[in-house]
Amino acid sequence: MLKINNEWRKKMQLKVDYNNMMADFVGIEQGFTDKDFSKNKTLIANAYKEVCANRGLGMMGWTELPYNQNEIVLDILKTAKDIKKKFDNFVVLGIGGSALGPIAAFQALCHLRHNELPKSKRKAPKLYVEDNVDPERMKALLDVIDLDKTIFNVVTKSGATSETMAQYLIIMNLLKEKYGDKAKEHMIATTSESKGNLIKIAKQEGLKTFYIPDGVGGRFSELCPVGLLPAAVVGIDIKAMLDGAKYMDKICKQKDIKKNPALLTAFLEYLAMQNGKNISVMMPYADSLKYIADWYCQLWGESLGKAVDNQGNEVFVGQTPVKALGVTDQHSQVQLYREGPFDKVITLIAVENYRNTVMISEGCKDIPDVSFLSGHTMNELINTERKATEYALTTAHRLNYTITLPEVNAFTIGQLLYMFEMETAFAGAMLNINTFNQPGVEGGKNATYALFGKKGYEQTKQEMDNAPKKDPKYFC
Ligand code: PA5
């Protein structure tokens, strides 16, 4: 458990350095000036007002999660304790927003090889998140888990997602074959209390159930039971995570854009989009944050990629999110970021203090090109390389900014997740779109139902049957 007090919270506050978004640093052709801020004063003020006015309402129920979950947290902690006693594996069945948050928090806040550690060191069940319906992945999971020691958590807000329900059917069938009436002891359901099929199934089967609040969409659900239960099971301090979110929420309530990192970065990305920067690269310099970039990609892509604005006009807006990893992708992507088209904003995530320090050993004394590394730490190396990449991007006039985490812990991760959620809400308001729907995702879901012959989707099936057939001349 983290010992949290106000002084420590302040020390752990995230910082945004946006120097390299400004003309003074990247040049007047690419960069922004104070004039851009003053010219867009009304746009910024309106976006701020809209987000504040909608807090806790409609699909913005997620703004209340840091405040309204005391009882739920107690239930989660109690359930997690029981799970730890009885089981060695905790498997999340779910996809998209039901999977990416749990993966991101696990990677960020547990040992990087948690599942490979011996039980005595792990002190918590292994975590698996089945974010797909790849048959090989399902078979591989079943090859490594012992059902007797495994509990599953089926997570779907709509209670109807084909991928998740397919996973559920496979697993529940296995459990029933093996345990009969006791199958329910190996399955938890996390879903909407009021809508969908899973809640009905959970009641019929007598499953332990956690609820996803109505106003919390999949990609905004990491800080509700969707993310909190798996996190608690693997030993993450979920109270500290929520405390971090609350701390960031207070910061994001500030009207002054220069004091509100979410409003600020939303505006900078908005300006970039207006200037044809249609790609947003998220590049953490930490393996622990690798899947935060994945989670961000869904949040940013699904929320802002919209065909119409709030008045129904066609706008086709959005920014393609791209995940990268520092320093790994310096040897893969940075060539493109530095010399390719001027169509990107690159967000670097820095970590001031890593949880481990590794010295680079002495050696190869007669080869100066190698021996210069000796005596330094890997910590120095990774941070130096980040600064070097920042410099290289900036001198090539590439828009970039850096978010710094003093360290990676439950409190700073709570801040980071919440800041990205608020940033997304502000950016959506600036773009005048519905940030919280996903008609494009529904399109794919509905087409799958139709192809599988689901009742009620006959018309979609008919339309698909009538679509032009593929022409063999375009196969190679
Ligand atoms: O953000 C969203 O709403 C989606 O990406 C969903 O998370 C995803 O489609 C899974 O939906 P559900 O939770 O209903 O199974």
Side-chain angles (χ1 to χ4, degrees), residues 95-98 155-159 161 164 218-219 298 302 438 441 445:
I95 200 159
S98 302
V155 188
T156 163
K157 166 91 189 277
S158 63
T161 303
T164 307
R219 54 193 178 274
Q298 187 211 15
E302 220 169 272
Q438 52 282 326
V441 179
K445 282 187 182 180

Side-chain angles (χ1 to χ4, degrees), residues 100-110 222 227 231 236 241 292 413 417:
L100 292 164
I103 295 171
F106 176 54
Q107 175 85 2
L109 298 169
C110 287
E222 174 50 21
I236 292 169
M241 239 168 110
I292 294 275
I413 290 300
L417 296 175

